[in-house]
């Protein structure tokens, strides 16, 4: 017998359904549709927030899912995941975050080795064959990747109730875009940092692994200024062997549209070039503060058409312009060109000259 989903999961499923139905309509018809079909004011407001946000963004949807579902799930599962609980040789210290796939905990090894790590656990209810295969694949991928700028796999196994877990080195840091802005790194320093990220991706590509979700949140920079590449959860081995599995094909569209390659958006086969595209989108944002394409307010079909057919503006042209983006509360936030330049230790005119020429060409 199929187990009935928890109320929190049911609410999230309904929210996602309404969101995708409304997103398929012209913008002028969405409000009336929600008024007709949703008599839950709170749920309708959540859908409206999603529609005015960076629509379809994996970051935003995951964050919103955490806000709607995770508090309930945390209460439902706290008997299974608590500080002090042991997972293998490690003791859970505190929860670092919960998402659609599970939870990540700071943990400590309590024997003579004394080690701090991050433990990634699949949440209850998602320990299906497909999810477990995906998780095992991530563990196998990470075991083969040893690079100073890739988060290192420490251990792995299964809990007594059969849920797999990964034990990773604990990375204390901030997303690469946030760190660069807070440190007011100039263009040269940003490029030096970015080259280290490229080296990590090249190492993965040398093992025929495509990361498939390169974005600021998956690249943390430590206090020492060293980047660490995280989360190979949707990576895919390109050798075509049995170990790579077909399960990842069904997960191909689990991505972040702002950084996804045209072939990802179109559902086409991926190659190493897919990560190179995402690196280009990341470098564009690190250098300018703008994204190659602003996707807010666009349907998935419009996003795909825009990214696959339209050339982005040259980085040297956008650094002299302000940047406006929607935020989760339904408002927008505008950052002036002067403020973007300040975060790069320069002013817009000089930034334009620095980016013109080779950097324009390389990024595009």
């Amino acid at each position: 017998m199929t187990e009935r989903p928890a109320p929190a999961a049911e609410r999230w499923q309904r929210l996602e359904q309404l969101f995708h139905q409304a997103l398929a309509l012209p913008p002028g018809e969405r409000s009336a549709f929600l008024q007709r079909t949703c008599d839950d004011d709170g749920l309708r407001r959540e859908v409206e927030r999603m529609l005015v946000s960076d629509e379809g963004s994996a970051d935003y949807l995951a964050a919103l899912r955490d806000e709607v579902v995770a508090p309930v799930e945390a209460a439902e599962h706290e008997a299974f995941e608590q500080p002090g609980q042991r997972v293998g040789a490690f003791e859970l210290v505190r929860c670092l975050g919960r998402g659609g796939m599970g939870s990540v905990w700071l943990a400590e090894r309590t024997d003579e080795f004394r080690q701090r790590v991050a433990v990634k656990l699949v949440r209850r209810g998602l320990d299906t064959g497909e999810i477990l295969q995906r998780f095992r694949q991530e563990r196998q991928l990470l075991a083969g990747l040893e690079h100073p700028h890739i988060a290192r796999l420490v251990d792995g196994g299964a809990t007594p109730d059969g849920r797999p877990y990964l034990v990773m080195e604990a990375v204390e840091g901030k997303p690469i875009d946030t760190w660069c802005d807070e440190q007011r790194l100039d263009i040269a320093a940003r490029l030096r940092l970015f080259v280290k990220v490229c080296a990590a991706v090249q190492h993965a590509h040398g093992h025929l692994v495509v990361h498939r979700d390169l974005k600021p949140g998956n690249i943390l920079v430590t206090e020492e200024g060293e980047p660490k590449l995280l989360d190979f959860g949707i990576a895919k081995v390109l050798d075509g062997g049995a170990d790579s599995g077909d399960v990842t094909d069904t997960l191909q569209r689990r991505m972040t549209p702002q950084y996804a390659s045209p072939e990802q958006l179109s559902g086409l086969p991926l190659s190493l070039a897919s990560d190179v595209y995402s690196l280009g989108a990341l470098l564009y944002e690190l250098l300018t503060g703008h994204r190659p394409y602003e996707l807010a307010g666009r349907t998935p079909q419009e996003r795909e058409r825009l990214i696959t057919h339209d050339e982005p503006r040259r980085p040297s042209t956008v650094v002299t312009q302000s940047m406006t983006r929607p935020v989760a509360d339904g408002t927008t936030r505008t950052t002036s060109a002067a403020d973007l330049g300040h975060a790069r230790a320069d002013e817009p005119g000089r930034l334009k000259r620095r980016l013109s020429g080779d950097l324009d060409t390389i990024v595009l």
Side-chain angles (χ1 to χ4, degrees):
M1 179 181 295
T2 302
E3 185 177 349
R4 179 178 175 82
E10 288 181 346
R11 180 177 177 82
W12 176 253
Q13 290 168 5
R14 176 60 174 156
L15 187 149
E16 276 195 307
Q17 179 186 44
L18 287 169
F19 168 70
H20 289 296
Q21 289 174 338
L23 190 61
L25 298 173
E29 299 177 13
R30 294 171 182 172
S31 179
F33 165 77
L34 291 174
Q35 290 288 343
R36 290 195 311 271
T37 57
C38 184
D39 55 5
D40 182 328
D41 290 342
L43 193 63
R44 186 172 64 250
R45 284 193 296 271
E46 295 292 353
V47 176
E48 289 169 346
R49 285 175 57 193
M50 293 168 73
L51 291 169
V52 300
S53 77
D54 190 0
E55 293 167 320
S57 162
D59 287 335
Y60 180 76
L61 291 178
L64 186 56
R65 185 195 185 285
D66 292 346
E67 180 181 324
V68 174
V69 181
V72 179
E73 288 179 341
E76 292 169 349
H77 304 311
E78 67 177 1
F80 302 99
E81 297 174 11
Q82 299 183 53
Q85 177 184 338
R86 293 189 66 82
V87 176
F90 302 91
E91 183 177 295
L92 302 184
V93 175
R94 72 173 186 274
C95 185
L96 299 176
R98 296 182 185 271
M101 292 289 293
S103 57
V104 180
W105 284 76
L106 179 68
E108 289 183 340
R109 189 164 189 163
T110 55
D111 57 20
E112 66 272 19
F113 293 104
R114 305 300 298 181
Q115 183 181 23
R116 278 207 154 192
V117 297
V119 174
K120 184 175 180 180
L121 283 158
V122 169
R123 72 178 177 88
R124 284 184 165 276
L126 278 186
D127 43 357
T128 64
E130 179 182 351
I131 296 299
L132 295 182
Q133 183 176 346
R134 180 183 176 198
F135 205 82
R136 284 192 294 268
Q137 174 176 296
E138 180 177 13
R139 186 169 61 195
Q140 187 61 39
L141 291 176
L142 288 168
L145 300 178
E146 296 223 6
H147 189 276
H149 300 305
I150 295 178
R152 182 170 53 89
L153 178 68
V154 175
D155 197 1
T159 62
D161 59 357
R163 289 184 298 154
Y165 64 84
L166 291 175
V167 181
M168 308 291 301
E169 67 171 303
V171 179
E172 296 283 344
K174 295 183 178 180
I176 187 169
D177 57 342
T178 301
W179 194 85
C180 286
D181 286 355
E182 288 182 354
Q183 298 294 317
R184 291 191 61 211
L185 294 192
D186 62 17
I187 295 300
R190 288 170 186 251
L191 290 173
R192 287 193 294 270
L193 187 64
F194 183 75
V195 165
K196 294 180 179 181
V197 175
C198 290
V201 176
Q202 183 177 12
H203 176 78
H205 287 180
H207 288 73
L208 299 180
V209 174
V210 180
H211 187 282
R212 307 174 83 192
D213 196 25
L214 293 169
K215 59 185 179 182
N218 278 338
I219 306 168
L220 299 185
V221 183
T222 66
E223 288 186 359
E224 296 75 27
E226 297 297 326
K228 286 282 188 177
L229 183 56
L230 312 176
D231 197 359
F232 279 81
I234 60 173
K236 182 177 182 180
V237 178
L238 295 182
D239 62 8
D243 288 344
S244 65
D246 293 331
V247 64
T248 52
D249 294 333
T250 66
L251 299 167
Q252 189 164 1
R253 288 177 178 265
R254 294 194 182 187
M255 59 193 169
T256 307
Q258 289 285 3
Y259 307 95
S261 65
E263 57 269 28
Q264 278 180 287
L265 290 168
S266 301
L268 299 174
L270 303 188
S271 70
L272 304 180
S274 301
D275 277 351
V276 176
Y277 178 94
S278 298
L279 286 171
L282 174 65
L283 181 57
Y284 191 110
E285 187 168 8
L286 290 180
L287 297 183
T288 69
H290 294 258
R291 292 170 177 166
Y293 304 98
E294 289 299 340
L295 303 182
R298 300 182 185 274
T299 66
Q301 295 77 17
E302 289 170 340
R303 293 198 299 266
E304 180 180 340
R305 186 166 57 251
L306 178 67
I307 290 176
T308 56
H309 291 92
D310 291 5
E311 286 288 333
R313 295 171 296 171
R314 299 181 74 80
S316 61
T317 66
V318 301
V319 291
T320 59
Q321 301 170 14
S322 62
M323 181 268 294
T324 300
R325 285 184 190 155
V327 291
D329 64 1
T331 63
T332 59
R333 181 176 65 244
T334 297
T335 306
S336 70
D339 286 340
L340 292 173
H342 178 76
R344 287 153 183 80
D346 218 329
E347 58 88 23
R350 281 197 296 268
L351 278 177
K352 178 181 177 66
R353 293 191 292 274
R354 291 180 190 277
L355 297 179
S356 295
D358 288 346
L359 281 177
D360 267 343
T361 302
I362 291 169
V363 173
L364 293 181

